[in-house]
Amino acid sequence: MTAEVREKLRSDARDNRARILAVARAAFAAEGLDVPIREIARRAQVGPATVYRHFPTKEALLEAAFAEPLALCSAIVEEGLAEPDPWRGFRLVIEKLMEVHALDRGLSRTFTTRLPYLAADRDRTMRMFARLLRDAKEAGGLRPDLVLEDVVVALMANEGIRASSPETRVAASRRFAALMIQSFRADPVREPLPPPVRLGSQ
């Protein structure tokens, strides 16, 4: 087997794994955790054997489907906490989370799904997020009645954006994020919104 053929096989395997994970996340988010492996394989346009080659058990697929987005969400929240101004940190987190969630439906499920093998990481991320909200409230940037569940609902709504291309989804998500950020503010200051976009079904 030539090096070129080996690299092509590795590339195909990486593409298959990425597609399986994307389909699994979307399916688990929309339909719950009981979606069969065969159905995920069908939607990913691979055979069940290919899914099992990458993920030997359903639990392994669930863990991988949620571990990667949870790590990404956690890194974004950590970046927000590192900001000296808690309001700026909160705003950064909302903007970045909504953008990545617009491109990967089901990511908000990382905040609402308690899988035993990811519980510690999820709880750590939620604690950091709650701390960021508390700091932003104490600094006067956030309305005092805002709770973490309100933010999760906004993220879930953001994932519902339908558009003709990923670029359009991101543009619509940025405008939605700006609207949400303004609604979360403690003061009535209104900033110009990003331009509206024309949405269409995918």
Side-chain angles (χ1 to χ4, degrees), residues 103-124:
L103 294 173
D104 194 343
R105 294 180 194 135
L107 274 175
S108 66
R109 199 60 189 262
T110 61
F111 293 114
T112 58
T113 300
R114 289 188 59 84
L115 297 171
Y117 28 80
L118 295 178
D121 291 338
R122 175 195 175 275
D123 290 347
R124 174 178 171 272

Side-chain angles (χ1 to χ4, degrees), residues 150-167:
D150 297 326
V151 179
V152 174
V153 168
L155 292 173
M156 295 172 71
N158 178 70
E159 283 183 6
I161 293 173
R162 299 291 184 269
S164 57
S165 70
E167 294 78 14

Side-chain angles (χ1 to χ4, degrees), residues 22-82:
V23 166
R25 273 198 294 271
F28 294 147
E31 303 164 44
L33 306 184
D34 294 328
V35 181
I37 290 288
R38 285 188 174 276
E39 178 59 20
I40 289 170
R42 184 188 68 79
R43 297 182 193 181
Q45 298 180 326
V46 299
T50 299
V51 177
Y52 284 115
R53 191 156 51 245
H54 290 281
F55 308 101
T57 64
K58 177 76 171 288
E59 289 72 22
L61 177 57
L62 282 165
E63 182 174 3
F66 288 103
E68 291 182 11
L70 180 57
L72 175 58
C73 292
S74 181
I76 291 172
V77 176
E78 285 180 338
E79 185 180 353
L81 277 171

